[in-house]
């Protein structure tokens, strides 16, 4: 590690990408226009569940400006959208995978389901024509709640999934758990709903698809977090196109949070249609469409039970969860409430026996898939809410009960499949306590009481499994793809560098962080490194960005490529300096003969590689361009403690977050400014879930009731406080950066910390539990019913 | 039927003939190629489309282009100096990491400029209240508030 590396790594370098975003010169998909472009509009189902008896498109086709109208019947030979993860039920049978047609065939299964694609010269013409499509629906009864969907006699959504059951999956030792419960000194029970959320990246989804007859090739601009995966799924599984004939470009993307991972019907239908109409097609999702058709998140109903001994040691945890899948299986839907959920139920604790059973149900709603945290917020919510409740019941202080159960020896094998490599849970808890001035809480509570307010303090000591994922382990668990990452480091003749990464930045600042990693390692200025991402035509391969994997996995692939560059550089330098290769050291941007002052600068070596006049051509290829693929050997385990303090007005039910402190261990940090920003954003989303956001479908009609920003309460600036953010570091042991990932932590810790604070405040008036979001009405109602209990 | 109108956009005269239902944001994005003004919703709630009209912040998705006759419109593309030096509010957003994906950012910066023009000494609470019409899903607003405070100080100099 040279001086420059010390100078760049760990510094709050201001972001390279900001210049274009701040001047309006970013290029988002909706900013892309092609010559001779047409406009697409999707006719969507107005019904939650209906048979399609017939569709008449004749009038629409004859409408002014219409180029083409397509329905499911036209998509001959096009397969359904695939699910990337195969889960097996406890009886050994594979999950039920009903077809997920690109455009509805015979039936619609949620409000917003895709019925027809209308392509016209202008958007207004496309919309006008869509109104002329006559669909003969036979409306069927619908079911939107996963518990109701599993009841006998519920409307049957797919013939292939009797009783609307996708799978019942289990993890852990049931017998050991039962035995532990039978000798427990205390058992805490809690029924929890993890409320359904709509991701709401501020940039709605969009796509521009075009086809070149001359090359028989397609180009798709789209709002994707993982363009290579999108291309692979679309070409190999759905459209049957050769991959090399399809280029997917995800330019600047305005936030994702999971919702832009998936292969959606819209862009798939557009690529298919681009060849038929032989013109570019553009589609920009309107916000109300995005509420209906983006994959939603969470939607779990859980019963949890925790067994404790007389000293407050956790003996066992038993969890039964019903998870909604929505009407169809989205790309990663099946693994979220299983592999990314139940495996996290050990939390930071030594609980020796854990058993989780998860039943996934189809419902007449938009598909449910990963949303920031994806399974891990749900697990943390279960564990941390029940730990809070156990503390309240046993009278042990909240932090003390956690401390009594912390894991302190690593590596640690949990009873739910994961092997934690490292961590330091006490350090984060202690620091969070200090940041939150927990010592002064009693006085603050007394002060609030003087004004008739209830004050509460809540903790969440969360863990997450990030850095997805060791491909062999993921494969054994049902993944149908690898989960490695690729990086390419292209050194130009003058020594500047372009990095090509398979990770995708849609707000995370990779263009800066990755440049810091490379500049630090090569000993060159950050300005000399540019990062390219989001284009299958330029980047060798990529699995994309989700699960807080970009630095730990994508960054490591880049480090490996940089190391190959350095290795080759040493060979070149040895030749130039007439020294043995083993004597060459690389530091501070220079190749030096050890123990001498004879050296060649990085730029000189690069030039020699491209102008190989004096070069070992008999042994070495010219050029300095290296690619590496990196498949991690384990998950990474970011963890931390969040402490939330609330003040409640019992007369109105209004909850104010007066303080939120987060102390997180993300391993080594490259750019602390960016990391803090990730935590802020995550916490805001977590608090949004806990305080405000709730996706509601009408149980009778299946209509989405929260389909606009007037009905779905997004957190706004005046709903939130400023946050206090701190870090502690135990470096990840199995990647060279020692990085664990930071993108989801806030959204994982915040809901439980907030709800625990609310329950702490309301304990005084006899309230034990109610479900998120803690809107004034729910809080007030809980206080009233406790009063009258 | 089409309407013709004359206005100034980023200091330059613009004469346009548009369909009467054309929104200001459509005029900017589709006719003038000023794609820095974004569309994030269809209910005038998100603020991604915010521009200055006669020095006041306006949601460009919520006014018709036809209403802009004679108006002075300034978009995100029009606030930096001619030599490219960022407006103090743009610089403050960069310095304070007040943006992540950048999608809300252009509207956020325009709102912030209007906010500071009206309340040069706004408190944190006032800034938060004033930003109520601009949604950001990435930053949790923490660094946006900081940026507005920094930007206000720099604009006051
Ligand atoms: S696009 Fe104008 S407020 Fe959302
Ligand atoms: S920076 Fe992404 S929405 Fe604000």
């Amino acid at each position: 590690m040279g001086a420059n590396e010390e100078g760049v790594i760990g510094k709050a370098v201001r972001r390279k990408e900001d210049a274009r975003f701040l001047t309006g010169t970013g290029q988002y998909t909706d900013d892309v226009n092609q010559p001779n472009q047409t406009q697409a509009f999707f006719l969507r189902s107005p019904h939650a569940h209906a048979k399609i008896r017939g569709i008449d498109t004749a009038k629409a086709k004859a409408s002014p400006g219409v180029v083409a109208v397509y329905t499911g019947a036209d998509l001959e030979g096009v397969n359904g959208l695939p699910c990337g993860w195969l889960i097996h039920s406890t009886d050994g049978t594979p999950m039920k995978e009903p077809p997920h047609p690109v455009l509805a065939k015979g039936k619609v299964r949620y409000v917003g389901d895709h019925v027809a694609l209308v392509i016209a010269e202008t958007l207004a013409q496309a919309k006008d024509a869509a109104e002329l499509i006559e669909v003969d629906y036979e409306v069927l009864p619908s079911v939107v709640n996963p518990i109701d969907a599993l009841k006998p006699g519920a409307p049957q959504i797919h013939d292939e999934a009797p009783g609307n059951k996708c799978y019942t999956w289990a993890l852990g030792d049931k017998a050991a758990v039962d035995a532990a419960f039978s000798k427990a000194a205390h058992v805490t029970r809690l029924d929890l709903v993890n409320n359904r959320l709509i991701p709401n990246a501020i940039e709605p989804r969009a796509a521009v698809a075009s086809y070149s007859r001359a090359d028989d090739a397609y180009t798709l601009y789209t709002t994707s977090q993982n363009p290579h995966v999108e291309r692979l799924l679309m070409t190999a599984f759905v459209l049957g196109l050769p991959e090399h004939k399809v280029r997917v470009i995800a330019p600047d993307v305005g936030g994702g949070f999971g919702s832009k991972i998936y292969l959606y019907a819209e862009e798939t239908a557009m690529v298919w249609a681009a060849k038929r109409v032989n013109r570019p097609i553009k589609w920009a999702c309107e916000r109300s469409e995005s509420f209906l058709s983006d994959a939603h998140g969470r939607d779990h109903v859980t019963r949890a039970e925790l067994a404790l001994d007389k000293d407050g040691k956790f003996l066992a945890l038993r969890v039964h969860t019903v998870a909604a899948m929505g009407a169809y299986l989205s790309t990663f839907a099946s693994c979220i409430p299983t592999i990314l959920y139940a495996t996290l139920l050990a939390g930071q604790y030594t609980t020796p026996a854990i058993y989780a059973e998860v039943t996934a149900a189809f419902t007449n709603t938009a598909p449910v898939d990963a949303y920031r945290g994806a399974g891990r917020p749900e697990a943390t919510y279960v564990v941390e809410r029940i730990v809070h409740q156990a503390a309240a019941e046993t009278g042990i202080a909240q932090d003390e009960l956690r401390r009594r159960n912390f894991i302190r020896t690593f590596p640690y094998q949990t009873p739910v499949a994961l092997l934690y490599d490292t961590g330091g849970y006490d350090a984060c808890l202690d620091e969070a306590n200090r940041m939150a001035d927990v010592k002064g809480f009693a006085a603050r509570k007394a002060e609030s009481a003087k004004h008739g307010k209830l004050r509460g303090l809540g903790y969440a000591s969360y863990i997450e499994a990030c850095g997805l994922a060791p491909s062999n382990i993921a494969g054994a668990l049902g993944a149908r793809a690898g989960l490695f990452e690729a990086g390419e480091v292209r050194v130009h003749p003058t020594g500047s560098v372009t990095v090509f990464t398979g990770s995708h930045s849609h707000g995370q600042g990779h263009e800066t962080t990755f440049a810091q990693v490379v500049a630090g390692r090569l000993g060159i200025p950050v300005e000399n490194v540019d990062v390219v991402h989001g284009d299958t035509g330029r980047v060798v391969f990529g699995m994309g960005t989700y699960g807080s994997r970009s630095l730990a996995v994508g960054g490591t692939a880049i480090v490996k490529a940089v190391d190959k560059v350095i290795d080759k550089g040493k060979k070149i330098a040895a030749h130039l300096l007439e020294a043995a290769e083993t004597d060459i050291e690389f530091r501070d941007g220079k190749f030096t003969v050890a123990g001498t002052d004879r050296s060649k600068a990085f730029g000189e070596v690069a030039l020699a590689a491209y102008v190989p006049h004096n070069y070992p051509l008999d042994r070495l290829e010219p050029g300095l361009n290296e690619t590496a693929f990196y498949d991690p050997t384990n998950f990474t385990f970011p963890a931390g403690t969040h402490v939330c303090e609330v003040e409640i007005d019992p007369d109105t039910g209004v909850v104010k977050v007066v303080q939120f402190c987060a102390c997180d261990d993300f391993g080594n940090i490259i750019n602390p400014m960016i990391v803090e920003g990730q935590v802020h954003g995550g916490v805001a989303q977590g608090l949004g879930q806990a305080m405000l956001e709730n996706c509601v479908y009408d149980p009778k009609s299946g209509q989405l009731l929260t389909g606009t920003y007037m009905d779905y309460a997004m957190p706004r600036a005046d709903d939130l406080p400023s946050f206090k953010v701190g870090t502690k570091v135990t470096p990840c042991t199995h990647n060279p950066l020692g990085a664990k990932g930071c993108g989801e932590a806030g959204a994982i810790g915040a809901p439980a910390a907030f709800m625990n604070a609310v329950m702490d405040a309301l304990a005084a008036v006899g309230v034990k539990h109610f479900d998120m979001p803690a809107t004034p009405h729910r809080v007030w109602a809980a206080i009233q019913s406790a009063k009258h209990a | 039927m089409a309407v013709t109108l004359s206005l100034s956009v980023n200091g330059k005269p613009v004469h346009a003939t548009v369909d009467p239902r054309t929104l200001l944001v459509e005029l900017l994005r589709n006719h003038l190629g000023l794609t820095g003004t974004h569309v994030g919703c269809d209910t005038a709630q998100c603020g991604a489309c915010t521009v200055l009209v006669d020095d006041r912040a306006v949601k460009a998705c919520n006014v018709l282009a036809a209403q802009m006759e004679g108006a002075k419109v300034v978009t995100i593309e029009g606030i930096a100096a001619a030599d490219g030096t960022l407006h103090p509010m743009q610089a403050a957003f960069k310095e304070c990491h007040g943006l992540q994906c950048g999608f809300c950012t252009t509207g956020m910066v325009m709102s912030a400029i209007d906010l500071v023009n009206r309340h040069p000494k706004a408190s944190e609470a006032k800034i938060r209240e004033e930003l109520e019409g601009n949604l950001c899903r990435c930053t949790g607003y923490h660094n946006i508030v900081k940026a507005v405070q920094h930007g206000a100080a720099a604009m006051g100099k």
Side-chain angles (χ1 to χ4, degrees), chain A residues 14-15 22 28 30-31 199 287-288 371 506-507 673 677 680-681 693 709-710 715-718 720 722-723, chain B residues 29 35-36 38 40-42 45 76 90 95 97 99-103 106 124 128 132 137-142:
Chain A
R14 297 302 183 269
R15 299 201 320 171
L22 280 165
Y28 300 88
D30 191 25
D31 302 339
R287 178 59 58 185
S288 33
Y371 168 63
H506 31 281
M673 175 190 81
H680 296 155
E693 297 177 41
Y709 284 144
M710 289 179 285
R716 292 171 184 270
D718 54 357
L720 300 169
S722 285
F723 310 117
Chain B
R29 289 181 56 83
T35 55
H38 298 148
C41 73
D42 43 16
Q45 298 270 310
I76 190 73
Q90 290 171 305
E95 179 59 26
H97 188 32
L99 66 153
Q100 292 183 23
C101 78
F103 198 79
T106 51
E124 173 177 345
R128 286 185 178 274
E132 218 259 351
R137 196 54 149 168
C138 298
T139 64
Y141 306 101
H142 179 112

Side-chain angles (χ1 to χ4, degrees), chain A residues 115-134:
Chain A
V115 175
L117 163 59
V118 183
I119 301 167
E121 299 295 338
T122 70
L123 182 58
Q125 288 171 332
K127 285 183 175 182
D128 288 346
E131 281 191 22
L132 300 174
I133 297 175
E134 286 166 13

Side-chain angles (χ1 to χ4, degrees), chain A residues 44 110-112 287-294 296 366 697 704:
Chain A
R44 295 172 185 279
Y110 67 100
V111 174
R287 178 59 58 185
S288 33
E289 280 185 284
S290 119
F291 272 103
L292 290 174
S293 65
D294 291 359
H296 295 177
Y697 282 92
L704 179 64

Side-chain angles (χ1 to χ4, degrees), chain A residues 441-682:
Chain A
F441 174 71
R444 297 195 294 277
K445 189 175 170 78
E447 185 59 30
S448 294
K450 272 192 210 154
H451 302 100
K453 304 272 174 66
L454 301 167
R455 196 176 267 254
L457 190 71
Y459 288 78
S461 296
Y462 72 91
I463 194 156
E464 43 174 339
C466 296
L468 273 50
S471 292
N472 53 352
I473 297 180
L477 293 170
R480 286 164 164 161
L483 284 161
F484 55 86
E485 195 47 273
E488 179 182 349
V489 173
R490 184 175 302 169
V491 183
H492 302 290
T494 53
S496 65
V497 175
T498 305
V499 176
F500 299 83
T501 174
S503 298
H504 188 277
S505 185
H506 31 281
Q508 296 87 342
H510 296 164
E511 289 171 45
T512 306
T513 303
F514 290 178
Q516 284 176 261
V517 168
V518 172
R521 230 164 163 92
L522 290 179
I524 60 176
V526 178
E527 298 74 52
N528 289 9
V529 184
D530 270 0
V531 176
V532 171
H533 64 93
D535 183 348
T536 64
R538 299 177 75 191
V539 178
V540 53
F541 199 74
M543 300 309 297
T545 288
Y546 43 84
S548 306
R549 69 193 298 273
S550 293
L551 184 61
V553 189
T556 298
I558 293 169
V559 165
K560 301 239 170 221
V562 170
D563 289 349
K564 288 187 191 178
V565 164
I566 294 172
D567 280 351
K568 185 167 179 183
K570 281 183 181 168
K571 292 194 175 83
I572 300 168
H575 175 86
L576 295 175
L577 294 163
E578 295 174 349
E581 193 192 319
T582 45
D583 289 341
I584 303 291
E585 287 173 350
F586 181 69
R587 52 182 4 214
D588 302 339
K590 273 192 284 200
F591 294 93
T592 307
V593 182
T596 76
D597 59 359
R598 295 195 306 127
S599 68
K600 288 282 172 192
F602 180 70
E604 293 178 274
V605 168
L607 191 65
Y610 286 96
V611 187
H613 295 164
N614 175 18
Y615 194 86
L617 284 166
D618 53 334
R619 282 170 286 130
L620 213 54
E621 293 172 13
L624 199 50
N625 187 42
E626 298 290 345
T627 299
F629 287 71
Y630 170 68
D631 202 291
T633 54
N634 192 358
F635 296 88
T636 63
F637 298 98
T641 290
H642 294 181
V643 179
C644 181
E645 192 167 324
V646 301
E647 192 179 61
I648 300 176
D649 180 341
D651 295 331
T652 61
V654 170
V655 184
K656 206 174 145 213
V657 179
V658 288
Q659 180 172 265
F660 196 98
C661 301
C663 183
D664 301 291
D665 177 359
F666 299 133
N668 291 337
I669 287 171
I670 307 295
N671 186 322
M673 175 190 81
I674 287 177
V675 167
E676 283 178 18
Q678 288 294 309
V679 176
H680 296 155

